[in-house]
Amino acid sequence: VQLQASGGGLVQAGASLRLSCAASGRTFSSRGMGWFRQAPGKVREFVAAISWSGGSTMYADSVKGRFMISSDNAKNTVFLQMNSLKPEDTAIYYCAQGDSTSDSRYEYDYWGQGTQVTVSS
């Protein structure tokens, strides 16, 4: 499985960005997709996850109400719509695929290369 994340950039606080993660190779309908982020000097943390069916989603408390994860199964792509961005959202964002929809990075075995999101105040 190969995962390609894109859509990051430099924006001002309050702006929006949409990240995409295109999956290729073996993509199983029963698997889960997640977004994680890592800021300099910090541990990689969970952001959001979705089942490939799209029927199950979960979010970190810090992004609830601002971020939305969705999927386009026909294109094997997962999206992360990020609204009302804050400087503390600045990080490298990674997409990942795992056996289930989980907030634990240890449950994911395939990772994309990451895309940088920088939010200025």
Side-chain angles (χ1 to χ4, degrees):
V1 175
Q2 294 81 43
L3 303 175
Q4 181 71 39
S6 62
L10 171 63
V11 297
Q12 290 188 330
S16 298
L17 278 175
R18 189 172 85 151
L19 305 184
S20 299
C21 177
S24 59
R26 301 177 71 185
T27 54
F28 299 100
S29 60
S30 62
R31 305 208 88 197
M33 293 293 296
W35 285 98
F36 290 76
R37 66 187 182 186
Q38 188 166 17
K42 294 190 176 181
V43 175
R44 189 170 299 188
E45 65 174 5
F46 170 74
V47 176
I50 188 169
S51 58
W52 264 118
S53 68
S56 176
T57 60
M58 56 190 308
Y59 297 91
D61 288 343
S62 59
V63 306
K64 279 181 182 176
R66 299 189 298 123
F67 291 11
M68 185 175 74
I69 189 169
S70 61
S71 64
D72 183 338
N73 290 356
K75 297 182 179 179
N76 285 336
T77 301
V78 175
F79 304 97
L80 185 68
Q81 177 66 42
M82 306 186 296
N83 301 322
S84 303
L85 283 162
K86 304 175 181 180
E88 51 263 44
D89 294 319
T90 295
I92 298 174
Y93 283 70
Y94 299 89
C95 60
Q97 186 184 95
D99 285 331
S100 62
T101 309
S102 173
D103 61 358
S104 170
R105 64 184 186 272
Y106 301 108
E107 297 297 321
Y108 293 86
D109 44 16
Y110 295 102
W111 291 82
Q113 86 288 0
T115 183
Q116 176 71 48
V117 172
T118 303
V119 185
S120 63
S121 58

